[in-house]
Amino acid sequence: MKTIIIGGVAGGATAAARLRRLDESAEIVLLERGEYISFANCGLPYYIGGAIAERDALTLQTPQSFSTRYRVDVRNLSEATAIDPARKTVTVLDLRTGRSYEEAYDDLILSPGAAPIVPPIPGTGLAHVFTLRTIPDTDRIKHYVETAKPRSAVIVGGGYIGAELAENLHHAGLTVSIVERSDHLIAPLDFDMAADVHQYLRTKGIRLHLQSSVTAIEERRVLLDDGGALAADLVVLAVGVRPESTLAQKAGLAVNDRGSILVDRHMRTSAPNIYAVGDAVEVRNFLTQAPAFLPLAGPANKQGRIAADNIAGIPSEYEGTQGSAVLKLFEMTVATTGLNEAAAKSAGIDYDKTYTYSASHASYYPGGRPMSVKALWEKSTMRLLGAQIVGFDGVDKRMDVIATAIRFGAKVTDLAELELCYAPPYGSAKDPVNMVGFVAENVANGTLRQFFWHDVAALPRDGSVTLLDTRTEAEFAGGHIDGFVNIPLDELRSRLGELPADKPVFVHCHSGFRSYLAHRILAGAGLESASLAGGWRLYESVIHERDVPHHPCTFR
């Protein structure tokens, strides 16, 4: 049996290697129009910035090494130009010689990937404008940085690639600006979790132009839709990718409106004996089962394996993508999995949420830094829907635990029961993951009633409710929410008489822990109360990003 695979990298190379492991007698042909069949796509920005010093480190397998190890007929610089599903043939153009020929197949796997979107704005064809998707793209940017000596860079788009490039071009010595048409970077984050990211990047010298669009690119500047202009010796377009499905469409395979190839759970397309994997295919969201476009390396590898399994006679299905991802930004780590609030609302899910702020390891062991965790769950079932974490050390391992819990259908309260590794240099006896479960338990059983940063502006200031800040006097003096009175937590029991017994109390502290304690003290005294989720820390971060006018002490 003969299998042709069109496209290497994550999906295609994985499929070829898996198929060989399952069937030593199979004839396998891997066609790749580029020079490289397997390279570290996610490592490209770090070579530009110098963190990866050797270019060869980006090449995971050469055509020769892959062919030797897996006995695959590897043909790089060979472009598939047409597929005839009826005759089961692929037309191939040898880019070295210009010769075109046909190759027959029994099974065909498409792994064409995705291509960078080039927005329709004047100037994208100029010599100092780049996209980043392949090793040749990387070489061009690296060469330009080293030879043209640009001093300023503008990155159009604030997603994963754009943010990683911002860091790495900064390390390369450039002044970097990001232009993003949304109100926040990193689309899987909610705005409130992105606020800390924005402020941190600004401290590193990255200039952010949010809710802005580039209208034109000129020789040394870009023009913005607000009439402004930014210096730009180098421009990188990082506005997203589109599925490379032209070949599939020409062959009559079914695609969706975006152009993603439609496949079933076995990765089979609409044509017999043709499979498709990776960034070119439409996937299902694991949590909602709605169609999705989530171009990630991990899912592409899994899909390649599944296609090979099915060709080899092993029933195998892809269960969907939940969007687990992690991002390094200087010393900061940003991680997401599952649904954010926008996705949950779009899916019509009645959800609840909470915010926790926990140290990466035991507070008494040096070097611990806090991480901000946001978790969402379905109200009716307590099913864990998603999480976002922004912090420093230990973010990735906490998100991996939560992503695993989601994959196995955990309730958010199940996180409280997890027995996780603990030693002072690595964590706490009450791990940040456990803390999410504890808080959710309290919300579920009524021990904790929450209100949120977006509720604060609507709280009445007419005396009908009590607004209480339980931080210290020094913290209160350093900045507070208009209308809140200050009674430090440790004085609250002795000063309960100052609070009207017939009015509900909305209470906050720095991060939510002291206000929870205050909430329980107030409940014990018979007062109705609610605690601000995420506390002043989250509120101040979000309001700062909203550019709400304020004086040095009071946010209004």
Side-chain angles (χ1 to χ4, degrees), residues 1-5 11-30 66 69-72 105-109 275 301 303-314:
M1 298 291 285
K2 179 178 178 180
T3 299
I4 294 179
I5 301 170
T14 295
R18 174 65 171 172
L19 190 56
R20 172 57 69 224
R21 291 193 296 269
L22 296 176
D23 187 350
E24 184 61 24
S25 65
E27 183 180 357
I28 306 170
V29 178
L30 176 59
F66 194 82
R69 174 156 295 183
Y70 296 106
R71 199 167 58 82
V72 171
Y105 65 83
D106 295 300
D107 292 289
L108 176 65
I109 301 176
Y275 298 76
N301 277 280
Q303 293 159 16
R305 179 184 176 92
I306 288 167
D309 283 353
N310 284 291
I311 289 172
I314 300 174

Side-chain angles (χ1 to χ4, degrees), residues 113-132:
I117 294 171
V118 177
I121 56 177
T124 56
L126 293 172
H128 68 299
V129 181
F130 303 89
T131 59
L132 180 61

Side-chain angles (χ1 to χ4, degrees), residues 354-357 435 439 442 448-451 470-471 489 507-519 530-538:
T354 195
Y355 305 84
T356 57
Y357 196 58
M435 293 303 299
V439 174
N442 288 338
L448 172 62
R449 179 187 171 199
Q450 301 182 111
F451 68 105
T470 60
R471 295 176 299 154
L489 174 66
V507 57
H508 84 81
C509 64
H510 177 71
S511 64
F513 178 63
R514 282 175 288 174
S515 61
Y516 167 63
L517 298 180
H519 175 67
S531 172
L532 176 61
W536 161 264
R537 193 209 67 79
L538 177 68

Side-chain angles (χ1 to χ4, degrees), residues 10-276:
T14 295
R18 174 65 171 172
L19 190 56
R20 172 57 69 224
R21 291 193 296 269
L22 296 176
D23 187 350
E24 184 61 24
S25 65
E27 183 180 357
I28 306 170
V29 178
L30 176 59
L31 303 174
E32 169 56 53
R33 69 183 175 187
E35 183 178 351
Y36 306 94
I37 63 160
S38 181
F39 61 90
N41 195 292
C42 298
L44 301 182
Y46 300 101
Y47 174 63
I48 293 170
I52 297 174
E54 299 298 327
R55 182 181 179 280
D56 288 348
L58 299 173
T59 307
L60 304 178
Q61 289 275 6
T62 66
Q64 294 75 24
S65 66
F66 194 82
S67 178
T68 298
R69 174 156 295 183
Y70 296 106
R71 199 167 58 82
V72 171
D73 182 357
V74 178
R75 305 178 193 176
N76 62 333
L77 297 174
S78 296
E79 182 177 6
T81 58
I83 300 167
D84 187 333
R87 296 174 53 235
K88 299 177 74 172
T89 61
V90 176
T91 303
V92 184
L93 174 64
D94 186 330
L95 297 175
R96 292 183 180 88
T97 65
R99 181 177 70 92
S100 186
Y101 62 94
E102 279 192 350
E103 195 76 33
Y105 65 83
D106 295 300
D107 292 289
L108 176 65
I109 301 176
L110 304 180
S111 181
I117 294 171
V118 177
I121 56 177
T124 56
L126 293 172
H128 68 299
V129 181
F130 303 89
T131 59
L132 180 61
R133 185 71 180 175
T134 65
I135 288 182
D137 294 338
T138 310
D139 289 338
R140 284 189 285 268
I141 296 173
K142 183 84 166 175
H143 177 75
Y144 188 83
V145 169
E146 292 175 346
T147 58
K149 308 293 185 185
R151 295 192 298 173
S152 58
V154 170
I155 298 169
V156 185
Y160 291 110
I161 292 295
E164 288 174 342
L165 267 173
E167 174 190 349
N168 283 282
L169 289 173
H170 175 85
H171 288 323
L174 283 75
T175 299
V176 182
S177 301
I178 300 176
V179 179
E180 168 56 52
R181 67 179 179 181
S182 173
D183 64 357
H184 68 281
L185 304 181
I186 321 299
L189 289 178
D190 289 318
F191 177 86
D192 47 21
M193 294 297 286
D196 281 352
V197 178
H198 298 167
Q199 292 167 41
Y200 176 75
L201 285 177
R202 291 189 184 106
T203 69
K204 293 297 183 179
I206 306 300
R207 302 172 182 180
L208 305 183
H209 300 267
L210 304 173
Q211 295 182 291
S212 296
S213 296
V214 172
T215 57
I217 302 171
E218 299 180 347
E219 285 293 340
R220 294 297 173 195
R221 64 176 189 166
V222 300
L223 307 182
L224 303 182
D225 57 353
D226 64 0
L230 302 175
D233 300 325
L234 168 69
V235 178
V236 181
L237 305 176
V239 298
V241 296
R242 57 171 179 78
E244 280 268 34
S245 60
T246 302
L247 185 65
Q249 293 185 57
K250 286 168 55 179
L253 274 60
V255 299
N256 64 14
D257 292 341
R258 183 192 290 269
S260 297
I261 304 168
L262 300 183
V263 294
D264 64 12
R265 290 180 181 270
H266 302 280
M267 308 312 300
R268 295 179 301 212
T269 69
S270 58
N273 300 100
I274 300 180
Y275 298 76

Side-chain angles (χ1 to χ4, degrees), residues 372-393:
S372 182
V373 185
K374 179 177 183 178
L376 277 66
W377 64 90
E378 189 173 37
K379 284 184 180 180
S380 60
T381 64
M382 300 301 289
R383 178 178 60 135
L384 186 58
L385 296 175
Q388 302 159 48
I389 308 181
V390 176
F392 298 89
D393 296 337

Side-chain angles (χ1 to χ4, degrees), residues 350-368:
D350 185 18
Y351 67 92
D352 209 339
K353 62 184 177 181
T354 195
Y355 305 84
T356 57
Y357 196 58
S358 304
S360 57
H361 60 247
S363 58
Y364 57 82
Y365 187 89

